[in-house]
Amino acid sequence: MSFLDRLNSYRAEEEALRWKGTFAQYLEIVRENPDVVKTAHARIYDMIASEGIETDADGNHHYLFFEREMYGLSATLERLVEEYFHAAARRTDVRKRILLLMGPVSGGKSTIVTMLKRGLERYSRTPSGAVYAIADCPMHEEPLHLIPQELRSEFEAEYGVRIEGNLCPSCRMRLDEEFGGRIEQVPIERVLLSEERRVGIGTFSPSDPKSQDIADLTGSIDFSTITEYGSESDPRAYRFDGELNKANRGLMEFQEMLKCDEKFLWHLLSLTQEGNFKAGRFALISADEMIVAHTNEAEYRAFVANKKNEALQSRMIVMPVPYNLRVDDEVKIYEKLVQQSDLKHVHIAPHALRTAAIFSILTRLKESKKQGVDLLKKLYLYNGQTVEGMKEADVKELRTEFPDEGMSGLDPRYIINRISTALIRRDTQCINALDVLRAIKDGLDQHPSISAEDRERLLNFVAMARREYDEMAKTEVQKAFVYSFEESAKTLLDNYLDNVEAYCNWQKLKDPLTGEEIDPDEKLMRSIEEQIGISENAKRAFREEILIRISTYARRGRRFDYHSHERLREAIEKKLFADLKDVVKITTSSKTPNETQLKKINEVTARLIDEHGYCSSCANELLRYTGSLLNR
């Protein structure tokens, strides 16, 4: 299909979404589908739920609406949806609260709000998200507001639909003057929510308090029509074009709300609690909309300290939005941001973004008081990796030790800025982890808010991330040197487990060649266990623990494999690598490799490129760097 054909198709799709009729016809729609009469909060929750909800093994809910674009905030988003959106959708008092997202810069607050806006625009174009309004109403309000108060109880009993709110002044006048009170003849139309067209989605951003006009929120008098209509209380002489007017039926974003002048916030008191606000010389105007604001922690603390703000404070639900604390998810954030740029053609070597993520997560973690838990162990535990001696209960305890963990540290914006600095170099088509760490280190001197003390601490984190990369680099090269690494590891593991099982059960093994019975191979078992420091006295306990783990996996219908026990996996790898260490060391560090060494280097380079995602440039750099590491 050509682009012009697609344009025609798009116009036809948009035209198919349009619907115009009378109030009488709208009642038939309501009778067939009462769910069409949703509150704004219910519409937003249904929009989120419609994208899908997944439940993990621990019973935690994952909302796909957010998680396809936001990483590392699963717990925060679960709490946000269930404590605010879901509760508000059920008409609890929660819907009478302003949602205030509070957290550090570049933590995802604005992204959450933007996703809600774009999601509402898409959802209003679906059958389940259809929104109907009184035609030409400046606030595109719910048509059922036309029903007189005296008849609403009868209507609710017959249709099973609750009506909240009253006609805006403009529609009240039109009903009386144009239709003579015959509400069944009032035209109704389907509206598509759109921030761009100011339909159901509004955004208010504070400016200079001396020049900011309250009309930006509530609309204003149209002085050019005063002489025509003779009164400021005539709805025709008023522009219902404030953000509170236009956001009716949907969502209003209040950017940097706590920076606003107090008089702007007063209007929110009545709107949140009673569902109406005061504008011009009119009675209270009904509005059904969710108000979401965002701010940083320092401004929120200052707001709370001011006693004048107690009334508004009690009408807020504050939702902390911390930084991500999972390395895997931090890598996804960087990958997404790099892909959005024009630099995606520059190759990024494996582990480069991961090394940057390790550094940034370290800056956000707090030192635990729990014995034997340093920052790196904490980082691995938060990332879902197994750490010897630590259980799931320990992870939960660590997460509750500091409720504000993740509310400080370096933000993703700084890290991606430094990655961009490395990517933009004119003489490169590839960057590696060392390039990224170098750019991060150089940027610390330019960061305006980093003190000398903080700089020393951050340089220490750079060194820690570098050491982690060194281990990853050596492991990568050693794996590439082992032909069919996974197969070799599996064979060694199976051999070890056979011997452990015979040892623990006081049994003998059968030699596969001669068929004679032989004792378990103690030399083999110790050569593996010594790689991770298992002493002679501790070997039986370690072996029995392995058998218990195998039994547990079997009961759950899972297969115990090379990745099922973190310490055993480490021991197997180290054993394989120890057998090859001298070969790797000599081959990678030789300045003038002989024919055999050169052939091996070419094979390893090809394997790094084909199986591990390297390009020829970063593969050769990795081999040179690893050679220097092994020679230290």
Side-chain angles (χ1 to χ4, degrees):
M1 181 184 291
S2 71
F3 185 70
L4 288 177
D5 291 335
R6 183 67 189 95
L7 278 176
N8 289 328
S9 173
Y10 172 77
R11 266 195 301 273
E13 291 167 7
E14 289 292 294
E15 190 61 36
L17 291 174
R18 301 183 190 280
W19 181 89
K20 287 190 176 182
T22 63
F23 182 76
Q25 291 171 313
Y26 175 66
L27 282 186
E28 290 305 311
I29 294 175
V30 174
R31 188 185 295 277
E32 291 176 12
N33 180 23
D35 197 42
V36 78
V37 187
K38 295 177 181 176
T39 64
H41 291 83
R43 184 173 295 108
I44 293 171
Y45 174 74
D46 288 349
M47 168 197 74
I48 295 170
S50 69
E51 297 276 338
I53 306 171
E54 292 182 351
T55 306
D56 62 24
D58 297 322
N60 301 314
H61 294 139
H62 298 268
Y63 294 89
L64 302 185
F65 173 83
F66 292 111
E67 297 207 355
R68 290 193 181 101
E69 286 191 42
M70 301 202 70
Y71 310 110
L73 291 177
S74 294
T76 298
L77 295 171
E78 180 182 20
R79 184 181 168 204
L80 172 64
V81 174
E82 296 183 2
E83 292 187 14
Y84 185 81
F85 291 122
H86 196 182
R90 298 295 176 262
R91 296 180 189 261
T92 66
D93 246 30
V94 170
R95 72 188 175 120
K96 298 178 180 179
R97 307 288 181 267
I98 298 167
L99 174 62
L100 180 65
L101 303 177
M102 185 265 293
V105 295
S106 190
K109 306 183 296 296
S110 298
T111 304
I112 290 173
V113 178
T114 300
M115 290 184 71
L116 291 172
K117 290 177 179 179
R118 301 294 85 80
L120 272 176
E121 290 176 344
R122 293 193 306 271
Y123 189 60
S124 70
R125 285 164 164 74
T126 66
S128 57
V131 181
Y132 295 88
I134 298 173
D136 301 321
C137 171
M139 293 180 59
H140 29 266
E141 67 180 303
E142 167 59 54
L144 296 184
H145 289 178
L146 289 161
I147 297 176
Q149 291 285 349
E150 295 78 9
L151 299 180
R152 289 189 178 183
S153 59
E154 295 179 35
F155 175 84
E156 290 172 10
E158 181 177 346
Y159 283 79
V161 173
R162 192 189 310 180
I163 305 173
E164 295 179 356
N166 300 304
L167 284 176
C168 70
S170 175
C171 290
R172 171 65 59 193
M173 173 173 279
R174 287 180 58 210
L175 177 62
D176 293 339
E177 296 192 359
E178 288 184 40
F179 302 100
R182 294 185 297 276
I183 65 174
E184 65 274 12
Q185 296 179 7
V186 175
I188 309 298
E189 64 182 357
R190 180 177 178 179
V191 295
L192 304 178
L193 303 190
S194 168
E195 181 179 23
E196 190 175 298
R197 293 184 172 89
R198 300 187 75 209
V199 178
I201 301 174
T203 303
F204 180 81
S205 183
S207 59
D208 183 358
K210 294 179 181 178
S211 61
Q212 188 89 61
D213 190 347
I214 197 68
D216 294 343
L217 272 181
T218 61
S220 61
I221 298 168
D222 185 352
F223 289 101
S224 66
T225 61
I226 291 294
T227 54
E228 180 181 353
Y229 298 115
S231 171
E232 293 182 9
S233 60
D234 191 309
R236 292 168 296 181
Y238 195 87
R239 296 193 186 100
F240 295 90
D241 60 357
E243 295 303 325
L244 292 179
N245 306 103
K246 294 302 182 181
N248 187 37
R249 311 295 299 284
L251 174 151
M252 192 193 86
E253 176 188 9
F254 214 129
Q255 295 179 347
E256 302 297 342
M257 186 180 81
L258 303 188
K259 290 180 180 175
C260 279
D261 189 75
E262 288 179 3
K263 65 181 180 180
F264 285 90
L265 303 182
W266 292 340
H267 283 271
L268 303 181
L269 296 177
S270 174
L271 178 60
T272 53
Q273 193 61 36
E274 308 299 335
N276 51 47
F277 64 92
K278 181 69 176 170
R281 298 184 180 180
F282 303 110
L284 291 171
I285 297 175
S286 298
D288 171 30
E289 57 197 77
M290 185 191 102
I291 298 178
V292 56
H294 41 89
T295 189
N296 59 48
E297 193 170 3
E299 287 175 352
Y300 177 70
R301 300 299 172 206
F303 173 79
V304 171
N306 188 344
K307 295 293 182 183
K308 292 181 180 179
N309 297 325
E310 286 183 352
L312 186 59
Q313 185 187 338
S314 69
R315 289 170 169 81
M316 289 180 178
I317 286 184
V318 181
M319 193 65 60
V321 182
Y323 286 135
N324 159 56
L325 296 177
R326 281 177 50 89
V327 171
D328 289 348
D329 289 320
E330 191 75 6
V331 172
K332 291 177 184 176
I333 293 171
Y334 301 156
E335 287 174 341
K336 181 179 82 170
L337 294 174
V338 169
Q339 285 300 310
Q340 291 172 353
S341 75
D342 291 336
L343 295 170
K344 55 188 176 184
H345 65 281
V346 180
H347 182 255
I348 300 177
H351 308 304
L353 297 183
R354 187 172 192 82
T355 304
I358 289 172
F359 166 77
S360 58
I361 300 298
L362 285 172
T363 71
R364 301 168 191 170
L365 296 177
K366 295 193 175 184
E367 292 275 4
S368 174
K369 297 173 185 175
K370 192 175 180 67
Q371 190 173 4
V373 179
D374 58 21
L375 285 181
L376 274 175
K377 282 186 178 178
K378 197 174 188 180
L379 177 143
Y380 290 137
L381 287 168
Y382 280 8
N383 199 44
Q385 295 170 247
T386 303
V387 173
E388 187 63 26
M390 294 287 127
K391 301 176 182 176
E392 188 62 34
D394 296 311
V395 182
K396 291 179 180 177
E397 184 181 335
L398 286 172
R399 291 189 185 280
T400 57
E401 187 177 8
F402 300 104
D404 62 339
E405 191 168 46
M407 298 296 280
S408 60
L410 288 181
D411 59 284
R413 204 172 285 158
Y414 169 77
I415 303 297
I416 202 66
N417 287 347
R418 303 316 303 165
I419 293 172
S420 300
T421 300
L423 287 169
I424 205 70
R425 290 187 318 180
R426 295 181 182 179
D427 60 341
T428 185
Q429 287 299 312
C430 174
I431 64 168
N432 59 30
L434 298 179
D435 296 323
V436 172
L437 284 179
R438 198 176 298 116
I440 289 173
K441 183 180 178 181
D442 293 343
L444 296 179
D445 292 328
Q446 305 166 21
H447 202 292
S449 62
I450 294 178
S451 64
E453 183 182 346
D454 287 338
R455 187 175 182 278
E456 285 302 311
R457 187 174 63 90
L458 294 172
L459 285 175
N460 181 46
F461 292 146
V462 170
M464 291 170 69
R466 167 77 176 269
R467 289 194 292 272
E468 290 302 296
Y469 171 67
D470 288 351
E471 290 303 312
M472 287 187 278
K474 286 188 285 188
T475 301
E476 196 90 296
V477 170
Q478 288 167 333
K479 281 185 177 182
F481 265 86
V482 180
Y483 179 72
S484 186
F485 175 83
E486 290 284 339
E487 192 62 36
S488 301
K490 180 180 179 300
T491 301
L492 184 57
L493 173 69
D494 290 343
N495 198 358
Y496 174 77
L497 293 179
D498 287 342
N499 282 277
V500 164
E501 186 177 3
Y503 171 85
C504 291
N505 294 328
W506 304 94
Q507 295 173 347
K508 290 183 178 291
L509 290 167
K510 185 174 287 188
D511 189 297
L513 296 177
T514 65
E516 65 177 314
E517 292 190 336
I518 56 175
D519 291 325
D521 190 341
E522 184 67 20
K523 186 178 178 181
L524 170 72
M525 290 187 286
R526 292 302 294 144
S527 70
I528 293 172
E529 292 158 358
E530 285 170 353
Q531 300 295 330
I532 51 173
I534 303 296
S535 67
E536 184 71 25
N537 293 332
K539 67 181 184 182
R540 174 169 283 277
F542 179 74
R543 293 169 187 177
E544 289 175 346
E545 193 264 326
I546 294 292
L547 286 186
I548 291 171
R549 181 76 66 90
I550 293 173
S551 175
T552 302
Y553 270 59
R555 285 201 309 273
R556 295 177 179 174
R558 295 168 59 188
R559 185 175 178 276
F560 185 90
D561 61 21
Y562 166 68
H563 299 283
S564 301
H565 192 287
E566 187 67 22
R567 292 200 72 202
L568 183 55
R569 181 193 63 77
E570 181 185 351
I572 295 288
E573 284 186 357
K574 285 186 174 180
K575 169 61 177 168
L576 286 172
F577 298 158
D579 295 342
L580 270 172
K581 185 174 181 179
D582 289 339
V583 176
V584 176
K585 181 178 176 181
I586 293 169
T587 306
T588 57
S589 60
S590 178
K591 292 182 179 179
T592 56
N594 58 37
E595 187 177 342
T596 303
Q597 291 172 338
L598 190 60
K599 181 181 178 183
K600 189 66 178 176
I601 287 174
N602 290 335
E603 288 176 358
V604 169
T605 302
R607 199 166 295 137
L608 288 171
I609 294 171
D610 296 340
E611 298 176 15
H612 298 278
Y614 288 82
C615 68
S616 58
S617 174
C618 58
N620 287 318
E621 285 182 14
L622 177 71
L623 289 174
R624 285 195 296 272
Y625 181 66
T626 306
S628 68
L629 288 176
L630 293 173
N631 271 318
R632 289 178 187 174

